[in-house]
Amino acid sequence: MRNFFKFTERSTSYKQETLAGLTTFLSVAYILIVNPLILSQAGMDSGAVFTATALTAIIGTLLIGFLANYPIAIAPSMGLNSFFTFSVCIGMGIQWEVALAGVFIAGIIFMLLSLMKIREKIINIIPLDLKYAIASGIGFFITFIGLKNGGIITSNPDTFVSIGNLTSPTTLLAILGLVLTIVMLIRGVSGGIFYGIIITTIIGMIFGLINVPSTIVGSIPSMEPTFGVVFSHLDEIFTPDVLAVIFTFLIVAFFDTAGALIALTSQAGIMKDNSIPKIGRALLADSTAGAVGAILGTSTPATSVESSAGIAVGGRTGFTSVIIAACFMIALFFSPILSVITVEVTAPALIIVGTFMVMGISKVNWNKLEIAIPSFLTIIMMPLTSSVAIGLAFGFILYPLCLVVQKRYKEIHPIMYVLCLLFILYFAFIV
């Protein structure tokens, strides 16, 4: 096992990988609660979605762990499940069965693009400066989510965002967890982020801020209401609205995953010389999870940016993913205790992880304006729009434009021009 996952080569151990896997699971476990809540508003059975969510995460995470040896989790995407429910099903009036069939088709197209190595080629031709900008942008985005989840910042109609109610008990819990985590990390405590989550959870239960579950073991809900329904609705996808939805799923999922993989492999030290080893296998795992998830009954999964929490603890190989998948499997039987993993508990981990991911910002060539402008807008647009894909779009449009103005168009890979045009069309007709 040590040889298969290359423990020696990546300077890791069973203890380090296990701790990383547990940390990532605790950071992403909320999806088991939130995904059914969101998709049920589209008319789907919440119990079936819970089981489908867990199984999709298990399959996708094991695939990326064994095929690519990455310490990463794959789980249903928060952005895409919201798009599925509120934009597609509620906003456009498309039945969830038909929308899920669209997700399935998008997953199959992704698999074909991955097998043809088209996705891999696109990721590898992204300029190095933009890759560092993408990782940094996701770092700011993750920290923004953590601050919002902890109640430390809140929406404001006049200033867009402002400081939250710092006297709120749940916000104080998040702040306490943040301070404890910072202290442990600075003191060099191995696994400080993981221990921060556990200690914060215990404190929350002691002071009644987190409900102590009345039962521990629960039955696994049936997937009968959702399993396989996509196959009986494939003939309904050939309408302009549904085809537009499929295209949107393709664009957003493609670049959300690309951005996350670039950021996470860079953080884990896997990316070398502007190239990511076995990226094709990782993309195949991600796309396969998309098709399988649709069959089981959940919206599009993606590479989870919360994996950065486990990487920060020391996750370096696919054994971390094996631990994450095992935790999801256990969660199927112990669903009641998932209620103790609240957003306030995981907020400190996300805030701190953002710091680790932003460290690469210094590697962007800020002395050259033609590099600085697209890199900066790539970074800033991710937290401001809550979308990795839109941040990437700004970078992919402006980077070639800036170099063309300098008559350096020969330095740009032809695929970058194609992506530039696609994102312009994306803004013109979809966003």
Side-chain angles (χ1 to χ4, degrees):
M1 189 72 74
R2 291 173 59 89
N3 290 334
F4 179 83
F5 288 111
K6 300 181 179 178
F7 275 25
T8 302
E9 181 181 320
R10 298 191 183 178
S11 303
T12 188
S13 64
Y14 283 118
K15 178 182 177 181
Q16 187 171 308
E17 296 291 304
T18 300
L19 198 59
L22 290 170
T23 303
T24 293
F25 172 74
L26 291 176
S27 298
V28 80
Y30 70 89
I31 199 67
L32 291 170
I33 304 298
V34 177
N35 200 43
L37 287 174
I38 291 176
L39 295 186
S40 64
Q41 296 179 63
M44 300 180 70
D45 182 88
S46 60
V49 173
F50 169 82
T51 305
T53 300
L55 290 177
T56 300
I58 291 167
I59 293 168
T61 304
L62 284 176
L63 283 173
I64 200 168
F66 281 110
L67 292 179
N69 198 19
Y70 288 179
I72 287 172
I74 291 177
S77 163
M78 272 298 296
L80 288 171
N81 62 12
S82 297
F83 173 73
F84 180 98
T85 296
F86 302 114
S87 296
V88 178
C89 296
I90 296 176
M92 300 175 67
I94 297 173
Q95 290 183 323
W96 68 263
E97 296 93 340
V98 179
L100 206 59
V103 171
F104 174 72
I105 294 300
I108 295 297
I109 295 173
F110 271 145
M111 288 178 67
L112 294 174
L113 292 175
S114 299
L115 289 170
M116 295 165 65
K117 297 188 176 181
I118 293 175
R119 295 177 76 189
E120 178 180 353
K121 189 171 184 63
I122 289 173
I123 290 176
N124 283 331
I125 60 94
I126 297 173
L128 188 58
D129 288 289
L130 276 187
K131 282 181 176 172
Y132 288 129
I134 290 164
S136 301
I138 291 177
F140 283 112
F141 183 26
I142 289 174
T143 295
F144 183 80
I145 293 171
L147 291 168
K148 175 180 172 293
N149 288 350
I152 298 171
I153 61 171
T154 187
S155 61
N156 185 299
D158 299 318
T159 59
F160 302 112
V161 294
S162 62
I163 195 74
N165 180 8
L166 301 186
T167 60
S168 167
T170 53
T171 301
L172 285 172
L173 179 66
I175 293 172
L176 177 60
L178 178 61
V179 172
L180 287 172
T181 305
I182 290 172
V183 169
M184 285 189 285
L185 289 173
I186 292 177
R187 294 292 297 174
V189 176
S190 178
I193 293 175
F194 172 74
Y195 295 129
I197 293 173
I198 298 300
I199 294 170
T200 306
T201 300
I202 294 171
I203 293 172
M205 287 191 288
I206 291 173
F207 287 93
L209 301 176
I210 297 174
N211 294 326
V212 179
S214 56
T215 59
I216 296 177
V217 181
S219 59
I220 301 176
S222 170
M223 286 193 303
E224 185 178 356
T226 61
F227 182 76
V229 299
V230 296
F231 298 116
S232 58
H233 293 272
L234 289 176
D235 59 328
E236 300 177 52
I237 66 171
F238 299 102
T239 67
D241 282 349
V242 179
L243 290 175
V245 166
I246 293 173
F247 179 72
T248 303
F249 275 125
L250 282 169
I251 290 292
V252 177
F254 187 110
F255 289 102
D256 270 356
T257 294
L261 282 174
I262 289 168
L264 295 172
T265 54
S266 174
Q267 182 189 1
I270 296 171
M271 185 170 75
K272 304 289 185 182
D273 301 322
N274 199 28
S275 179
I276 307 174
K278 297 184 179 180
I279 184 68
R281 296 185 181 188
L283 293 168
L284 181 60
D286 175 81
S287 55
T288 302
V292 171
I295 295 171
L296 296 176
T298 183
S299 56
T300 307
T303 300
S304 297
V305 292
E306 290 87 354
S307 303
S308 54
I311 294 173
V313 170
R316 293 294 179 269
T317 75
F319 192 77
T320 293
S321 297
V322 172
I323 298 298
I324 297 166
C327 290
F328 272 111
M329 190 170 293
I330 293 170
L332 277 169
F333 301 93
F334 295 90
S335 56
I337 64 173
L338 290 173
S339 60
V340 305
I341 309 298
T342 64
V343 292
E344 292 84 9
V345 165
T346 58
L350 298 180
I351 294 168
I352 293 297
V353 163
T355 305
F356 290 112
M357 299 188 73
V358 170
M359 287 181 177
I361 199 170
S362 62
K363 297 178 181 179
V364 176
N365 193 346
W366 296 109
N367 295 322
K368 294 185 178 181
L369 203 58
E370 68 274 17
I371 301 297
I373 291 174
S375 297
F376 174 73
L377 286 170
T378 297
I379 293 168
I380 199 67
M381 291 306 292
M382 289 185 189
L384 292 185
T385 63
S386 295
S387 171
V388 172
I390 289 179
L392 281 167
F394 272 79
F396 282 15
I397 291 171
L398 291 173
Y399 188 90
L401 177 63
C402 289
L403 265 65
V404 165
V405 169
Q406 286 195 322
K407 298 181 180 180
R408 295 167 56 189
Y409 50 86
K410 290 184 179 180
E411 297 178 26
I412 304 169
H413 196 286
I415 292 178
M416 286 293 291
Y417 289 114
V418 175
L419 293 174
C420 175
L421 179 59
L422 283 176
F423 273 118
I424 290 172
L425 294 173
Y426 175 70
F427 281 129
F429 297 105
I430 295 178
V431 174

